Amino acid sequence: MTASVATATNIDRPVPANRSSLEDYRTLWAWMLVPMVLMQAGIFLDYWGDFRDNDWSIHVHYWTATLWYLYLILQPYWATHGRMDLHRTNGILGMFLAGGVGITSLSMLGRDLRLVRLATENPERFGPFTPEFFYGVAAVELPMVLIFCLAVVMAILRRKSLEDHAWWLVSTVFVIMMPAVGRGMQALYLIAQADRWPNVDGVTPIILGQVFVVALTLAAAWKYGKLKHPATWWALGINVYAGFAWEIGQVGWVQRLLDTLIHVS
């Protein structure tokens, strides 16, 4: 009789869907603090060092990107700590935020092309950062934004699959880390080689930054068993590609295409 009652009770009690999967992601929110801190540390001098001189578009982009990183900390926390209702509500609002990150990132491409012109007119001011370098940055950031948007769309389409939904969103962190980490590495190298200006090494910090982001992406994918997930490969692909920014910026047809697509006055 006791066994019958227990069996009936177990049948009647609803079992939360994907309980084991949710448990696997219970500490994801804490791990998401790592890229958040790295992004803020990388961009700190570039953004806060000349805060008052930054264009309005830079401020909007910085804060939307910062909020996106914060969003990817809060969402897994709510989902794995009994606040799935709040997770779903903020998921809808988060798509609005993701659109803001994508649009403001695209707007920053105009800044890259303006730097091309300034570096051409005043090369001694920019030292090793030639017009080709800024063309390369734009050529990297454009597909980077498109891949970010792709990952968000895939997360929406795969929202009924916890594993896919979560990892497509997590991958966006690694897709858009390059600008912040790259600037942070460059700042450290410029400080260390200040006495050699303008003959400083501008290539090594880019390479080191990309190696670091690729390693971090692989470490996260390994931890959550997502080394073979398509989101991981997209994130790895764009970061390997970004390591060749200097070479890409020297290609004539790439420069002409960017000049055509991104007209600056």
Side-chain angles (χ1 to χ4, degrees):
M1 182 67 180
T2 303
S4 299
V5 172
T7 301
T9 303
N10 289 336
I11 292 174
D12 293 339
R13 182 183 298 141
V15 178
N18 296 319
R19 170 180 284 177
S20 60
S21 296
L22 282 176
E23 287 302 313
D24 291 341
Y25 286 95
R26 190 169 182 81
T27 60
L28 177 60
W29 70 272
W31 286 102
M32 286 293 94
L33 287 168
V34 175
M36 172 75 164
V37 171
L38 292 173
M39 186 272 281
Q40 292 295 331
I43 204 68
F44 186 85
L45 288 177
D46 189 64
Y47 179 71
W48 295 102
D50 56 352
F51 180 85
R52 296 182 63 181
D53 296 327
N54 287 326
D55 292 338
W56 173 247
S57 61
I58 296 175
H59 292 302
V60 175
H61 175 62
Y62 171 84
W63 287 106
T64 53
T66 297
L67 288 173
W68 180 254
Y69 273 70
L70 180 61
Y71 172 82
L72 293 182
I73 294 170
L74 293 175
Q75 281 295 86
Y77 179 85
W78 285 325
T80 57
H81 288 74
R83 299 302 307 274
M84 188 59 77
D85 55 337
L86 188 58
H87 173 87
R88 292 193 180 101
T89 299
N90 282 279
I92 298 171
L93 298 175
M95 297 309 99
F96 172 79
L97 177 59
V101 174
I103 291 171
T104 58
S105 296
L106 287 174
S107 73
M108 296 299 293
L109 297 177
R111 180 196 189 196
D112 296 334
L113 270 291
R114 282 191 290 273
L115 288 172
V116 167
R117 184 171 61 194
L118 291 174
T120 302
E121 296 171 350
N122 192 8
E124 63 277 5
R125 173 186 170 188
F126 290 88
F129 303 112
T130 61
E132 290 78 13
F133 167 75
F134 294 112
Y135 272 122
V137 171
V140 166
E141 291 183 346
L142 178 55
M144 184 177 292
V145 176
L146 297 179
I147 292 172
F148 171 86
C149 294
L150 168 69
V152 173
V153 170
M154 289 302 299
I156 296 171
L157 295 177
R158 301 292 292 169
R159 64 189 179 278
K160 293 185 179 180
S161 169
L162 173 64
E163 297 285 326
D164 288 328
H165 171 74
W167 197 248
W168 276 110
L169 286 178
V170 169
S171 74
T172 64
V173 165
F174 306 110
V175 168
I176 61 174
M177 278 190 74
M178 173 268 187
V181 172
R183 287 186 175 92
M185 288 287 188
Q186 286 175 349
L188 292 177
Y189 260 72
L190 290 179
I191 292 171
Q193 302 177 74
D195 58 333
R196 296 171 53 191
W197 183 268
N199 300 312
V200 299
D201 181 4
V203 177
T204 301
I206 293 291
I207 301 300
L208 289 179
Q210 292 318 114
V211 169
F212 180 77
V213 175
V214 166
L216 193 63
T217 304
L218 287 171
W222 174 80
K223 175 176 174 55
Y224 289 100
K226 294 295 183 291
L227 285 171
K228 296 182 179 180
H229 196 281
T232 303
W233 289 104
W234 277 108
L236 289 173
I238 189 60
N239 281 293
V240 170
Y241 169 75
F244 296 92
W246 286 93
E247 291 80 6
I248 296 167
Q250 295 173 11
V251 179
W253 70 263
V254 171
Q255 296 178 8
R256 292 190 294 273
L257 178 61
L258 290 170
D259 285 333
T260 302
L261 291 176
I262 311 167
H263 178 71
V264 293
S265 56

